[in-house]
Amino acid sequence: MPSVRGTVVIDVDTCKGCELCIDACPQDSLALSKEINKKGYHYAVLIQDNCTGCVNCALVCPDAVITVYRTKKTGKAEKIVTKQPVAVISKVQSNIKVSVDELPEGKVNL
Amino acid sequence: MPSVRGTVVIDVDTCKGCELCIDACPQDSLALSKEINKKGYHYAVLIQDNCTGCVNCALVCPDAVITVYRTKKTGKAEKIVTKQPVAVISKVQSNIKVSVDELPEGKVNL
Amino acid sequence: MNSELPPLDSLECVWAKPSTLTDTPMHYCPGCGHGVVHKILMEVIQELHIQSETIGVAPVGCSVFAYYYMDIDMQEAAHGRAAAVATGIKRMLPDKYVFSYQGDGDLAAIGTGETIHAANRGENILVIFINNAIYGMTGGQMAPTTILGMKTTTTPEGRDTETQGFPFKITELIAMLPGAYYVTRQAVHTPNVVRQFKKAVTKAFQYQKDKKGYCLIEVVSNCPSGWKMTPLESNKWMEQNMFPVYPLGDLKVDGKLTEKKS
Amino acid sequence: MNSELPPLDSLECVWAKPSTLTDTPMHYCPGCGHGVVHKILMEVIQELHIQSETIGVAPVGCSVFAYYYMDIDMQEAAHGRAAAVATGIKRMLPDKYVFSYQGDGDLAAIGTGETIHAANRGENILVIFINNAIYGMTGGQMAPTTILGMKTTTTPEGRDTETQGFPFKITELIAMLPGAYYVTRQAVHTPNVVRQFKKAVTKAFQYQKDKKGYCLIEVVSNCPSGWKMTPLESNKWMEQNMFPVYPLGDLKVDGKLTEKKS
Amino acid sequence: MSNVRLMKGNEALAEAAIRAGCRGYFGYPITPQSEILEYLAREGREHGMVVMQVESELAAINMVYGAAGAGARVMTSSSSPGISLMQEGLSYIACAELPCLVVNVNRGGPGLGTIQPSQGDYFQATKGGGHGDYHLIVLAPATVQEMADFVYDAFDLADKYRNPAMILADGALGQMMEKVIFREYDPKASMPDKPWATTGKPPTRERNILTSLHIQPEKMEEINRCLQVKYQLINKDEVRYELFYADVAEMLVVAYGLSSRIARRAVEMARSQGLSVGLLRPITLYPFPYQVLKDLAQDLRNVLVVELNAGQMVQDVRLGIEGAVPVHFYGRMGGIIPPPEEILSKIADLGSRISTPQAHPPLAENTKNQSANLNSIFEIAKTMRREDEF
Amino acid sequence: MSNVRLMKGNEALAEAAIRAGCRGYFGYPITPQSEILEYLAREGREHGMVVMQVESELAAINMVYGAAGAGARVMTSSSSPGISLMQEGLSYIACAELPCLVVNVNRGGPGLGTIQPSQGDYFQATKGGGHGDYHLIVLAPATVQEMADFVYDAFDLADKYRNPAMILADGALGQMMEKVIFREYDPKASMPDKPWATTGKPPTRERNILTSLHIQPEKMEEINRCLQVKYQLINKDEVRYELFYADVAEMLVVAYGLSSRIARRAVEMARSQGLSVGLLRPITLYPFPYQVLKDLAQDLRNVLVVELNAGQMVQDVRLGIEGAVPVHFYGRMGGIIPPPEEILSKIADLGSRISTPQAHPPLAENTKNQSANLNSIFEIAKTMRREDEF
Amino acid sequence: MTHEILFAGFGGQGVLSMGMTLAYAGMLEGKEVSWMPSYGPEMRGGTANCIVIISDKNISSPIVSQFDAVIAMNQPSLDKFEKSVKPNGILMYDCSNVIIPHSRTDLTVVPVPLELEVMKLKNSKVKNMIMLGAFLSVCQVARVSSVMNALTHVLPERYHHLLDVNRKALEQGKRLVIEAATPLA
Amino acid sequence: MTHEILFAGFGGQGVLSMGMTLAYAGMLEGKEVSWMPSYGPEMRGGTANCIVIISDKNISSPIVSQFDAVIAMNQPSLDKFEKSVKPNGILMYDCSNVIIPHSRTDLTVVPVPLELEVMKLKNSKVKNMIMLGAFLSVCQVARVSSVMNALTHVLPERYHHLLDVNRKALEQGKRLVIEAATPLA
Ligand SMILES: Cc1ncc(C[n+]2csc(CCOP(=O)(O)OP(=O)(O)O)c2C)c(N)n1
Ligand SMILES: Cc1ncc(C[n+]2csc(CCOP(=O)(O)OP(=O)(O)O)c2C)c(N)n1
Ligand code: SF4
Ligand code: SF4
Ligand code: SF4
Ligand code: SF4
Ligand code: SF4
Ligand code: SF4
Ligand SMILES: [Mg+2]
Ligand SMILES: [Mg+2]
């Protein structure tokens, strides 16, 4: 059992099952689920409890859906701000606003 | 007196008096005229009979108004074609033609 | 699985999505490098506390929707004109941070003139250049950086020099310009290169603060959809085929060409 | 003066205006390098007997009227687009000779994209690039190649890098592109450099015949009017101030960078 | 049957270009027309065509200039923003009188807009988006078959008049599939000699110069007058349109391209409901069938113009009708395509008003009761009825 | 008297830009307007303005986009071919609703053309040379004084409506000198807040996004409808024109910019000869004074439109007149400026015809007796009378 | 006779090629045909769809809002387009994926348990052909043989090894409805 | 009162600045003024010219084709513009460079032997000011003092050392015509 223990929380609804985290995990702690999420993807899940909290998976995750925790203080904690819910959509112009509703899912040709 | 003798003929009406030929002549054979031509320029003239036909003046003349002759065969003669009068202006399109009349004199801003 | 660990709130969070990224799920294809670059860029902006001083420019390309994800003021630019738009912003707001985020089609094809002249003027901006060797957004056509022999929808027989010319190494050209202060080529497909990339971004913003001039970070990246591969295949293919043509590393640091480069 | 010489018809003519130049007097200012370049270009075309196989492209700039003087088929191109127009012609007529004749504003400012991509494609054309460090035709504004400190109507205090960036050495960039086969920097202000220049032009047409690809001949030239000098002063100024920034010589021959270059 | 195929509009157009003897294609990808480039990259190259994806639309149009000047049949294609980038080049091409084909598969604008079908580029295509007095010959296909057929016609007209021709389609015509029959066409037979082309000056002729520069205004005016005479000839001889039921109609619907098909369905529905409605479909947008409208105007009570924009061709219709009867407008924008029912209800609405012809509303009519407060634009827009005249 | 100066139009415009609080100029040299850049490079920089000669017009307009988006008053200027290169950028700016000033010192086109004055870019300026449904606010100065004054007005209108404004001048107005008085103007007082500008998102507000991309057609249509409502407001509130003697005139001459001054002299001459002629000078070309024409039409017998082009504004005049009376056209092209006497003789000619109002001639009227043989275009053009309707 | 048919479902369910195959078949039988896809971005929770028109006469509008038949491959499509079927028209849907069924009573409704059927063929990619086969037995808009034929043209050559399984799926779908219909009769 | 004056000659003869100086002087006297150059290329054998209008009222057209006065600095200008002088107008020209003199008889014609005069001043660059001075004594369109004043504004600062010689030239021109006129009187 590694000296540093950690764990990850994955937002499975937003995960796209790209497997990059799985490939990046030095502990082989991750795998794809059998189930699919509501977007139709098999998502990443923690399959072993040997996670060291090394952050590798989080670094390569393109969708930023992995949050990593550790049991031991690293002294870096103050640098890491846990995601706060933020209001993301703004009325940007007197008469034109960009709303999230119009954001397409998946590839768009322009 | 140099072994090779030559001379130049200058189209004084087209000369713009830039003096580049004068500067380029190793024999100091050239100078600007006192008179002005019909364009208002003092033009280049041969002032000494020490021309060697070295072609320097002709090479640097931007307006190609100098013709150079030599007394001695150089073996290069066949490469040099004396200027033949050519018809220069063509009717280029069914309805648009470029005519020399429209060519401006001197700097044009576009 | 995690049953042996204490509950989350007794743990220390060591990595979380930066607060400068919005909660909007990204529209990118699974495994696409754009997402990683977005994430790191926003992480650096958060860490440097410059969210309120940064203006981003997203021209056309898959990342045209970047402003949905980046929680900063942003302008969408016409295809190829990001460097000009960024110049306009920066010249009016010289004390703000300005970056553009451009694809290879945008930066190295239609925007060649703007790209090179912004660098040559030494515009004090950061340009993030995603080189995925293809036009992702329009469905997989050849990009200027497409490597020889590579098949795309417009080079069905593979890119050949006769009609299509050579893979265009614009980053090498830009490094030669006196106005360019920091020019580097990075990637984001493994944890280590992501760490490198983050350093590069941090450095570039610092340079911009110090008014050093033009910084360019090329990211050699994948396009699983355009290349018709799985994300993992695409990363492997990228290492094997793109890195030889586009080797990673710094080309110019502190206004000086690196050894490697010459 | 010539009274001691035999009459002209008993002499041998060793230099005369090439028959490929029309009789139309050129509109250029006295002492302007454009005329010399025209003359040599047409001389080479005459000597190679390719008048009937050559198509020239003259974009906007002082040389926009080149087609009045060159007795060959010619197209006038929009400002900056000569490389694109030449590409269009060459691709339709691959066995003809195609050249473009461009100023520094045309080639290195508005036409940067077209210039670089034609080179990168290795278009089998010859580009003659007149670098006079100024916009001659529009009355003496700064060009991308204007040297630092040089006064023009748009840099009344002299070019400074802050607003205007650096003198843009596009020829050096082009030499780096694999599609470029022959890249050289020449001048035309003394008999000897004119001879050199003529050799370069001859070589470039030969390469084009052999389908070697893109050739670029930069001519560092004067603009007495724009610089507000006499022709002789301008040539001196050019030697003293421009040659250090734009040193003459070959940058790339037979597809290989020269010693000098690296 | 081998010549009958089910094809996307974009592909049909590309295939026709090959058959029309097009020797060069220069383009840059943009949705919704990248299939043209992609199809030609596959099929065109096989037929020896020079097919180049180049660095930009600007480069593309100028390569077309050079290549057309070299005497070849050549083309480019793009969609709205890309076509905007070509405006300088088009003005040069028109003035130098170079025949070529430019395809605009119109999408919703302005700006980056959407990729959905639109007719928002009508003005740009017909009035000249570039500088100076010039015109493209503009053909507006309404079917995939016409996407193919008009390629031949466009090249032929371009060659005949030494004038750039444009096919103005839209995203839907580019993407939809229909049956196409490729008619027999021999490019060699229909291509005129091009003695003006810059192919290298043989000793037997004087040199050819292609230019649009004429520094003396007198000369430039002469050039312009030549162009105008040419446009008059085109206006006299090349107007094309289709009329449905117009002979017995009180109301005339005018629409082109995709919207003409929707309108036609609506007209059919309206007639089956007993309304006296006809349809005019301009096929050439430049030259525009002004005279047809003028002739019809006598017997009409009402005109309805349907476009996928905010009202552009409606100006040409009004110029043709010259105030003889009211001209109404119905438009959708941004890539929205109205179903026939929507047009039908507009027809029915106007039909019921036919008995009381009203004065033609001024352009700003609908703003009358609106507050000038700009902050409320958003609210105003929400309450605006679509059939408002804007 | 210190504020009274004798200046070239280009210089007056540049000086006014400094006084109007313009903080950024991005441009590229082109005759006949390079003096604007040159003046600002001298004087503007002294006043702390960012004055940049950049790599192209394309770069310039997109720098304007960025800089305007950053909340500053900014501008660019060019002449015809350069303006054509800006069309994509203008469409983006219009859709993203960024206020800025674009100056077109129109020269003779199409193509490279001449450098002499022209009004050949009217369509491009007023109908939108770029793609999609958008409009610039277009002001047409006729004096050097107005070259200066309209800079303030253009910036104010641009800011008020968040819309790009254009000053459409011509080579003569740029090059001629007249007396100019720079009126008091406090940019700070007249510049509205720009809470939408991308200046960096403080924690106190949501982020600002400037875009013209709306991938869902419904959204894009909404954007378009907002724009159209804005244009209606502009049409309602911002139409500007000048009327001379129109109240008592049987014939109305319509002309703008330089040609309006020549026409005005001609009208004065005609009136002194007893002819009943008035003059309408549209000052805003967009919005166009349609309603004024409609109102005047009742009492007129005849309209003559004078332009330095082949007939562009005449279409807008016809749209306003709606067939009520014949609308004639007189135009010179390619940089030719007719003297007042030339217009006078046209007025006199029509005046004598006033008693027998004739049907409005079709557009192609003058080609009727012409052979369709294209080879003879050159000859036809030579014999064409200039007052032909084309 | 004119048939106006809408095919709708998630992107990736083969909705577009289903329509394209039918259109091609119509063309093979000498009819006028049009196929209009909803191109562009797949909207969040939206549907991909295409309109196919097959007619003896020229087709005026390729876009209509009321259909003779709607084939819905998922719940959102059913929800969205049920109302777009003309009175007495056909509504066909994959009932294995649907929680809220149809509600109109003036239609010929054909729910098809695609999940079940596709398992029989051990190939989830051919759902669309099963559905198309089923549709053909409800509505004789084209002969099955023409559709079989059409497949050869519509499938890119690199997929021609899948021709057989696609044809089987078609036939299975066709039988399905005939069988289902028999006991009812 | 409105004066419409045309100055014409070769480029380089100072024709444009002659007009500009007069226009400036008019402005200094509170008049409306306009100066319209023939900008653009100097045409082969053509003339540079400018139209100056000075008026008490607003100036409508800055371009006219008939002038109250024409000042021609060379033969081509005389040839071209003699016909453009209004009846009873003024035609003034440099007679030292003219071979074919004027022919109209309905004008006040003032031939000025500029070559001669300029030699007196030993400065060939001030021909234009001599001519302007001469014109001012024929036609009181502006006071000489205003023109003197105007010169300060019209001459770029780097040429201000030439102010004096220009003023002298003006005066010389003015005297010239007065003297010439005296014996005639
Ligand atoms: C003027 C113009 N031309 C073309 C397009 C279409 N277009 C949009 S993005 C793009 C290229 C995308 O490639 P890249 O810049 O490499 O970005 P990626 O999608 O690969 O990240 C093109 C050609 C456009 N929007 N505007
Ligand atoms: C689109 C466009 N922009 C600007 C111009 C004006 N213009 C004509 S030539 C020129 C630059 C001339 O400089 P250069 O290319 O260096 O040629 P040179 O005259 O110095 O030989 C410019 C800006 C133009 N004709 N077209
Ligand atoms: S990298 Fe992220 S998106 Fe990809 S599988 Fe892992 S958690 Fe999911
Ligand atoms: S934090 Fe490290 S060990 Fe834990 S799952 Fe992620 S990559 Fe594996
Ligand atoms: S040929 Fe040589 S020597 Fe003779 S004049 Fe010319 S430069 Fe002088
Ligand atoms: S170089 Fe030529 S133009 Fe110049 S002075 Fe000599 S002869 Fe005359
Ligand atoms: S198309 Fe390519 S670049 Fe675009 S989002 Fe998908 S994978 Fe990424
Ligand atoms: S302006 Fe300069 S480049 Fe142009 S002709 Fe004169 S000297 Fe030559
Ligand atoms: Mg890319
Ligand atoms: Mg230059």
Side-chain angles (χ1 to χ4, degrees), chain B residues 86-105 108-110, chain E residues 95-98 162 195-196 206-211 213-216 219 222-223 226-227 230:
Chain B
V86 284
V88 290
I89 294 310
S90 40
K91 181 156 178 274
V92 290
Q93 296 177 201
S94 64
N95 45 358
I96 297 186
K97 60 179 198 172
V98 174
S99 84
V100 130
D101 303 344
E102 70 171 290
L103 185 62
E105 181 106 320
V108 177
N109 288 2
L110 225 66
Chain E
C95 191
E97 297 194 282
L98 300 179
R162 286 190 60 186
W196 46 264
E206 291 177 331
R207 70 189 187 285
N208 284 337
I209 297 169
L210 297 172
T211 185
L213 168 64
H214 303 279
I215 198 73
Q216 285 195 327
K219 181 72 186 174
E222 194 176 288
I223 300 295
C226 290
L227 289 176
K230 180 165 88 173

Side-chain angles (χ1 to χ4, degrees), chain D residues 34 103-106 130-137 143 145:
Chain D
H34 274 303
D104 40 11
D106 192 83
I130 308 295
N131 176 5
N132 56 11
I134 207 157
Y135 285 17
M137 165 147 277
T145 51

Side-chain angles (χ1 to χ4, degrees), chain F residues 167-330:
Chain F
I167 292 182
L168 182 62
D170 65 71
L173 282 168
Q175 298 297 326
M176 72 187 275
M177 284 186 157
E178 288 185 314
K179 189 165 92 178
V180 203
I181 301 172
F182 291 97
R183 68 162 130 106
E184 290 301 320
Y185 181 87
D186 177 6
K188 285 202 200 70
S190 45
M191 234 184 299
D193 274 355
K194 300 185 176 177
W196 46 263
T198 58
T199 52
K201 170 209 172 302
T204 48
R205 67 158 164 81
E206 290 178 332
R207 71 190 187 283
N208 284 337
I209 298 170
L210 297 172
T211 186
S212 64
L213 167 64
H214 302 279
I215 198 71
Q216 284 194 329
E218 293 75 14
K219 179 72 187 177
M220 193 68 216
E221 182 170 64
E222 194 176 288
I223 300 294
N224 265 294
R225 288 164 66 202
C226 290
L227 289 176
Q228 293 302 322
V229 172
K230 180 166 87 173
Y231 300 145
Q232 288 186 352
L233 292 181
I234 292 172
N235 270 291
K236 185 164 77 71
D237 293 340
E238 308 298 348
V239 171
R240 289 174 61 183
Y241 58 90
E242 235 178 2
L243 265 176
F244 301 97
Y245 315 115
D247 43 339
V248 289
E250 289 190 337
M251 186 196 304
L252 183 73
V253 178
V254 189
Y256 72 94
L258 180 69
S259 54
S260 75
R261 292 185 64 174
I262 300 161
R264 188 171 152 199
R265 175 68 168 259
V267 166
E268 284 163 1
M269 292 158 116
R271 292 187 75 87
S272 75
Q273 293 178 14
L275 285 165
S276 168
V277 194
L279 174 71
L280 170 68
R281 168 170 89 100
I283 292 175
T284 49
L285 303 184
Y286 188 92
F288 190 80
Y290 294 110
Q291 189 60 47
V292 180
L293 283 164
K294 194 191 290 290
D295 294 346
L296 290 174
Q298 341 281 19
D299 306 317
L300 293 173
R301 319 261 318 247
N302 225 333
V303 175
L304 171 65
V305 177
V306 178
E307 297 180 75
L308 304 178
N309 60 34
Q312 300 191 14
M313 182 180 68
V314 62
Q315 290 201 354
D316 277 328
V317 172
R318 288 192 176 129
L319 286 170
I321 296 288
E322 284 188 308
V325 294
V327 177
H328 300 276
F329 173 71
Y330 184 75

Side-chain angles (χ1 to χ4, degrees), chain A:
Chain A
M1 186 139 301
S3 64
V4 182
R5 303 264 328 268
T7 192
V8 296
V9 174
I10 298 171
D11 177 353
V12 297
D13 282 342
T14 318
C15 169
K16 291 182 188 145
C18 69
E19 302 187 77
L20 295 188
C21 55
I22 300 172
D23 196 53
C25 176
Q27 300 291 104
D28 292 331
S29 315
L30 302 168
L32 280 196
S33 66
K34 292 251 157 51
E35 302 73 41
I36 56 171
N37 63 13
K38 59 181 175 189
K39 285 182 178 174
Y41 296 117
H42 299 277
Y43 47 88
V45 286
L46 199 62
I47 51 160
Q48 298 194 49
D49 61 356
N50 57 352
C51 168
T52 60
C54 73
V55 187
N56 276 6
C57 54
L59 285 178
V60 299
C61 174
D63 289 274
V65 302
I66 307 181
T67 312
V68 185
Y69 298 86
R70 273 195 219 148
T71 49
K72 238 176 74 178
K73 283 255 176 267
T74 62
K76 282 191 189 166
E78 66 284 8
K79 283 185 71 183
I80 296 162
V81 180
T82 306
K83 176 74 180 147
Q84 301 295 330
V86 283
V88 290
I89 294 310
S90 39
K91 183 156 175 274
V92 289
Q93 296 176 203
S94 66
N95 46 357
I96 297 187
K97 58 181 200 171
V98 174
S99 82
V100 130
D101 304 344
E102 70 171 290
L103 184 62
E105 181 105 319
K107 262 287 279 104
V108 177
N109 288 0
L110 225 67

Side-chain angles (χ1 to χ4, degrees), chain F residues 107 119 140 226 364:
Chain F
R107 66 190 222 183
Q119 298 180 325
C226 290

